């Protein structure tokens, strides 16, 4: 991502990206289903350097079982300051472990952070 001339938008390093990912548990996962793009809302948590995705959709189950490439994107905008951040992680979804509550868990490695930025006043 090039931010030249974009007032207020700046890229963040990996450490800052991980810290931001730890502040929320909601994101979206983009993937392909029968050659069509699909975006699925999910809950997730960080487990070391891995993102553990909790979902209960057949599309994500199939993606995790097959090791499909997905993109998880998390973002938050503070309503008081209007400061916004966004982190994207792209890579193979692994796992597919069923839990008693009906959710399936997929794991995405944060080594594949593909974009991380903040839009707001410089600190």
């Amino acid at each position: 991502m090039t931010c030249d001339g974009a007032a207020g938008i700046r890229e963040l390093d990996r450490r800052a990206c991980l810290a931001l990912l730890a502040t929320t548990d909601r994101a979206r996962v983009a993937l392909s289903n029968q050659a069509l793009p699909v975006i699925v809302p999910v809950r997730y948590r960080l487990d070391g350097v891995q993102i553990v995705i909790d979902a209960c959709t057949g599309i994500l189950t199939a993606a995790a079982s097959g090791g499909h490439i997905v993109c998880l994107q998390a973002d938050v905008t503070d309503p008081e300051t209007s400061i916004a951040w966004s982190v994207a992680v792209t890579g193979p979804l692994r796992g597919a472990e069923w839990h008693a509550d009906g959710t399936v868990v997929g794991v995405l490695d944060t080594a594949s952070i593909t974009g991380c930025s903040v839009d707001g006043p410089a600190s």
Side-chain angles (χ1 to χ4, degrees):
M1 176 173 102
T2 303
C3 297
D4 297 337
I9 299 176
R10 59 193 189 283
E11 290 185 67
L12 301 173
D13 63 23
R14 176 178 167 74
R15 186 174 167 178
C17 294
L18 290 173
L20 289 171
L21 284 172
T23 66
T24 187
D25 68 348
R26 296 171 192 254
R28 290 164 297 286
V29 171
L31 65 150
S32 177
N33 183 40
Q34 299 180 358
L36 296 172
V38 177
I39 299 173
V40 181
V42 297
R43 286 188 182 230
Y44 74 90
R45 65 186 181 284
L46 283 179
D47 183 11
V49 295
Q50 295 183 327
I51 298 171
V52 178
I53 300 169
D54 298 320
C56 55
T57 67
I59 293 170
L60 284 176
T61 303
S65 296
H68 295 190
I69 302 298
V70 302
C71 180
L72 177 132
Q73 192 265 335
D75 58 40
V76 171
T77 300
D78 184 308
E80 292 180 18
T81 65
S82 294
I83 294 174
W85 62 262
S86 175
V87 178
V89 182
T90 303
L93 185 63
R94 306 181 325 282
E97 174 185 326
W98 286 97
H99 291 255
D101 65 1
T103 61
V104 63
V105 174
V107 177
L108 186 62
D109 194 329
T110 61
S112 54
I113 291 175
T114 53
C116 182
S117 62
V118 64
D119 180 9
S123 50

